[in-house]
Amino acid sequence: MPQMTEGVYFIPGQDEFIPDSHVYVIGKPSSKDLSLVDAGLMNKGAYKLKAIEALGIKLEDIKRIIMTHTHLDHIGCLSEIRGRIPHAELWIHANEAEPLEKGDEKTVYGMDMFRSMCQTQYGLKPGDFKMKVDRTLKGGEKLEIGDMNWEVMHIPGHSSGCIALYNSSSKVLIPGDVVYADSAIGRFDLHGADGAQLNDSLLKLGDLEVEILLPGHNRVVKGVKPGYIRETAKQWAPYLT
Ligand SMILES: [Zn+2]
Ligand SMILES: [Zn+2]
């Protein structure tokens, strides 16, 4: 089910021994003003772009890439994807854009052990994720893109610059790794993570009316039960201090 609703397309991640994030294309194709949400793990760019083209979407219509956050499983193939759509801007929350521009890759790898493991596995070098960001997001922006309205919400806790994208008319939420299906939430032990902040972020998302939940991993859900995120927040609250 690649089309979740009008103007929202789902390209599933292809997990390896590390997960590969899902990617979403948002915007009505007739607008020729589409956005890619997240990229994915190293070497998954060609697969993602091929899947997007198979939907009949023209790569030249992708005008920007919006990152929910910059963990390796989301940003790993960003350069590969940008190589094919060099005209596309890169939008990231300020808390993760500023370190990236300076070449600080602590959020990308999350922890030192993971950094050395991934650098060995994928032949990555320090500085590989140093990049210029075209627009830094703060949260609270009301984006009019692709003939749709998307609100940017800053939802830190899994990492410090996590954002969600929310479309109120179709009740679509793209929360990155903050909340998943099946009462799961993002981990909160990596660099920049904070359990109490994650709790606040879940409560904030819990106030939204959500029918279509499109997380960074695992199942996507159409027909989300009312109160699902609030329930999930309640279950996790004792651990999020
Ligand atoms: Zn993550
Ligand atoms: Zn992830």
Side-chain angles (χ1 to χ4, degrees), residues 21 68-74 96 107-108 158-159 162 176-178 180 186-187 190 216-217:
S21 76
T68 62
H69 64 303
T70 59
H71 282 156
L72 190 72
D73 55 324
H74 297 248
E96 294 182 28
T107 298
V108 173
H158 170 67
S159 68
C162 281
D177 283 356
V178 169
Y180 305 112
R187 58 190 288 182
L190 299 172
H217 304 280

Side-chain angles (χ1 to χ4, degrees), residues 91-124:
W91 295 9
I92 301 181
H93 188 275
N95 288 2
E96 294 182 28
E98 283 158 17
L100 270 192
E101 291 197 311
K102 291 188 202 130
D104 174 344
E105 297 170 335
K106 283 201 281 293
T107 298
V108 173
Y109 292 105
M111 62 168 83
D112 287 342
M113 191 189 74
F114 196 61
R115 177 200 306 260
S116 34
M117 188 181 91
C118 290
Q119 287 182 341
T120 309
Q121 174 75 17
Y122 292 105
L124 293 165

Side-chain angles (χ1 to χ4, degrees), residues 39-106:
L41 187 65
M42 269 72 59
N43 309 323
K44 297 295 180 188
Y47 150 68
K48 298 274 172 60
L49 293 172
K50 208 169 144 195
I52 290 167
E53 285 183 305
L55 296 169
I57 291 171
K58 292 199 183 71
L59 298 185
E60 70 210 46
D61 292 345
I62 300 176
K63 302 298 194 236
R64 66 195 69 80
I65 303 169
I66 306 174
M67 299 297 298
T68 62
H69 64 303
T70 59
H71 282 156
L72 190 72
D73 55 324
H74 297 248
I75 202 174
C77 66
L78 180 62
S79 311
E80 187 188 345
I81 287 182
R82 294 188 88 197
R84 293 276 308 280
I85 47 170
H87 59 276
E89 291 195 350
L90 177 61
W91 295 9
I92 301 181
H93 188 275
N95 288 2
E96 294 182 28
E98 283 158 17
L100 270 192
E101 291 197 311
K102 291 188 202 130
D104 174 344
E105 297 170 335
K106 283 201 281 293

Side-chain angles (χ1 to χ4, degrees), residues 154-157 178 196-206 229:
H154 181 213
I155 46 165
V178 169
Q197 280 184 353
L198 184 55
N199 187 51
D200 291 345
S201 295
L202 289 167
L203 292 174
K204 198 157 134 187
L205 296 179
I229 297 177

